Amino acid sequence: MLNDIMRLVTEYDGEIGESILAEYNRQERNLELIASENAPSVPVLAAMATVLNNKYAEGYPNARHYGGCENVDVVESVALSRVKALFGAKYANVQPHSGSQANFSVYQALVRPGDTVMGMRLTAGGHLTHGVTTNFSGANYNIVRYGVDPVTQLLDYDQVRELALRHHPKMIIAGASAYPRLIDFALLREIADEARAYLMVDIAHIAGLIAGGVHPSPMPYADVVSGTTHKSLRGPRGGFLLTNNAEIAAKLDSAVFPGAQGGPLMHVIAAKAIAFKEALEPEFKLYQQQVVNNAKALADAMLAEGFKLVSGGTDNHLMLADVRPFGLTGLDLEKRLDEVFITANHNSIPGDSLKSGESGGIRLGTPTITTRGMKEAQMPLIAKFIKLAATKFDSAQHLIRDGVRTLCLEYPLYRADGIDA
Ligand code: DSN
């Protein structure tokens, strides 16, 4: 099917078709270590290449602003019941086009411009929508930022409490894009209660881990949970919202539509439904356990190669390595890794004095290599490739490229599904 799609596109539009093929080959060839990426199943990808794309369905199941919605109503209702079962939530919204749109909708539902909101600092691992000044969040709300302890580099819950009691935020946002440890949602609930604030938890990165039972769930503690379907959850690109509170659920629905978006992307919602079905299967728990096992093994191997890791390791799917001791910026190493077919991203680390465009760190994640079937045994080799790229790039680059090629051929991505572009 994916072969047919790529062929059809290429026959009509060579320019775009060739780029799709080249990207397919890049993904098959490269070791993908970007912590926020993954490779969904063929049924998930296939659902997005269907006529559901054509349907306007503003509104919600059985309450639309367009006729002809009987089939997409089924699709969205199935997606809703599956995501609620997956996370143990009473209410859900699967329409946000992305994690940022989901987060925008939470602000829209629960706070007003000018209100005080607390979020994790970007250099501590937070997300753009948690209060960065160049984002809608930082531009429109009075943001109070919390961070990590400068010594342990662990989330500083005492600081969160102290700031919350001093600034009386209307909402505290928990969750991160680059934090390698478990988050104590129960403690954050206590702090939010003391400060009389809403607790919003953004699980974009760890949604798959939570669904797989390898990270505690925020559902018993959060007023709202926002997430994405395309990261560790291994679905299509997109967002979702969960809550157990009926009043908040109604506000979230109006905040998503018409507050933030128009028509939902029904082809993507169908793909989300398929990804939720996959995540409800027992094998998904094994996959998530392996993601975490691989991250621990990669972190141990990186430490053995002499890298310093933020907080000394990882409890989840990602880690942050400080590359400054090698006389490099994160961007330098990212570019070198690109040349040897290893894909990662430069990332600020706590206390970073470099601009975010360069950064002192590199972020590594294991969801995609685990999807390929790699296990603990392959992690020391990957850490060795990264060390060689950092220290002996000129002399070792051919060796690394050959090693990566061999590893990726042994653990195919889509070639195993009969895709052979
Ligand atoms: N841009 C995503 C990441 O890479 O973590 C977060 O949305």
Side-chain angles (χ1 to χ4, degrees), residues 95 329 392:
Q95 292 193 3
T329 66
K392 295 186 182 147

Side-chain angles (χ1 to χ4, degrees), residues 80 82-93 174 183-186 188-189 199-203 206-207 210-211 215-227 240-246 248-249 252:
L80 285 167
R82 287 181 185 166
V83 75
K84 286 189 276 185
L86 192 58
F87 291 101
K90 287 197 183 128
Y91 307 93
N93 188 308
I183 298 178
D184 188 341
F185 300 123
L188 289 166
R189 174 76 265 166
L199 177 63
M200 164 190 167
V201 180
D202 179 344
I203 62 166
I206 54 174
I210 293 168
H215 190 294
S217 169
M219 273 325 295
Y221 310 108
D223 295 295
V224 183
V225 170
S226 69
F240 63 89
L241 292 167
L242 306 169
T243 181
N244 282 324
N245 179 311
I248 291 178
L252 290 173

Side-chain angles (χ1 to χ4, degrees), residues 258-269:
Q261 298 180 176
L265 309 176
M266 293 314 309
H267 55 315
V268 178
I269 291 176

Side-chain angles (χ1 to χ4, degrees), residues 87-308:
F87 291 101
K90 287 197 183 128
Y91 307 93
N93 188 308
V94 290
Q95 292 193 3
H97 301 332
S98 70
S100 292
Q101 297 279 68
N103 289 352
F104 179 88
S105 303
V106 179
Y107 282 83
Q108 180 92 343
L110 299 184
V111 290
R112 289 285 149 261
D115 281 351
T116 299
V117 172
M118 274 178 62
M120 195 177 195
R121 194 171 289 115
L122 197 65
T123 51
H127 185 251
L128 284 177
T129 56
H130 299 183
V132 172
T133 38
T134 45
N135 181 260
F136 78 87
S137 52
N140 296 319
Y141 299 88
N142 174 38
I143 302 290
V144 174
R145 295 177 185 86
Y146 62 86
V148 293
D149 180 280
V151 178
T152 62
Q153 299 180 320
L154 298 175
L155 210 161
D156 188 345
Y157 296 94
D158 290 338
Q159 185 191 55
V160 177
R161 172 176 277 117
E162 193 267 311
L163 290 171
L165 295 181
R166 178 145 46 103
H167 294 281
H168 305 291
K170 193 122 182 250
M171 178 164 80
I172 298 175
I173 304 175
S177 285
Y179 182 67
R181 297 295 182 178
L182 301 184
I183 298 178
D184 188 341
F185 300 123
L187 181 51
L188 289 166
R189 174 76 265 166
E190 271 177 32
I191 296 171
D193 283 344
E194 285 173 43
R196 295 169 190 256
Y198 287 117
L199 177 63
M200 164 190 167
V201 180
D202 179 344
I203 62 166
H205 262 262
I206 54 174
L209 277 63
I210 293 168
V214 296
H215 190 294
S217 169
M219 273 325 295
Y221 310 108
D223 295 295
V224 183
V225 170
S226 69
T228 57
T229 42
H230 53 280
K231 299 187 176 86
S232 56
L233 199 47
R234 207 166 59 181
R237 299 195 75 89
F240 63 89
L241 292 167
L242 306 169
T243 181
N244 282 324
N245 179 311
E247 207 179 309
I248 291 178
K251 285 185 184 173
L252 290 173
D253 281 351
S254 328
V256 174
F257 171 80
Q261 298 180 176
L265 309 176
M266 293 314 309
H267 55 315
V268 178
I269 291 176
K272 288 176 182 174
I274 297 168
F276 299 145
K277 179 179 163 76
E278 291 173 353
L280 284 160
E281 301 285 351
E283 293 76 29
F284 194 74
K285 286 191 172 17
L286 301 179
Y287 163 66
Q288 293 298 340
Q289 186 62 60
Q290 195 62 54
V291 167
V292 171
N293 293 350
N294 284 352
K296 280 196 197 317
L298 183 59
D300 288 346
M302 290 289 286
L303 291 168
E305 292 290 351
F307 284 92
K308 211 170 126 212

Side-chain angles (χ1 to χ4, degrees), residues 54-105:
N54 307 349
K55 190 71 198 96
Y56 248 122
E58 284 179 4
Y60 291 100
N62 305 314
R64 306 281 190 184
H65 293 262
Y66 292 81
C69 287
E70 63 271 25
N71 302 312
V72 293
D73 275 0
V74 174
V75 168
E76 187 165 347
S77 301
V78 169
L80 285 167
S81 58
R82 287 181 185 166
V83 75
K84 286 189 276 185
L86 192 58
F87 291 101
K90 287 197 183 128
Y91 307 93
N93 188 308
V94 290
Q95 292 193 3
H97 301 332
S98 70
S100 292
Q101 297 279 68
N103 289 352
F104 179 88
S105 303

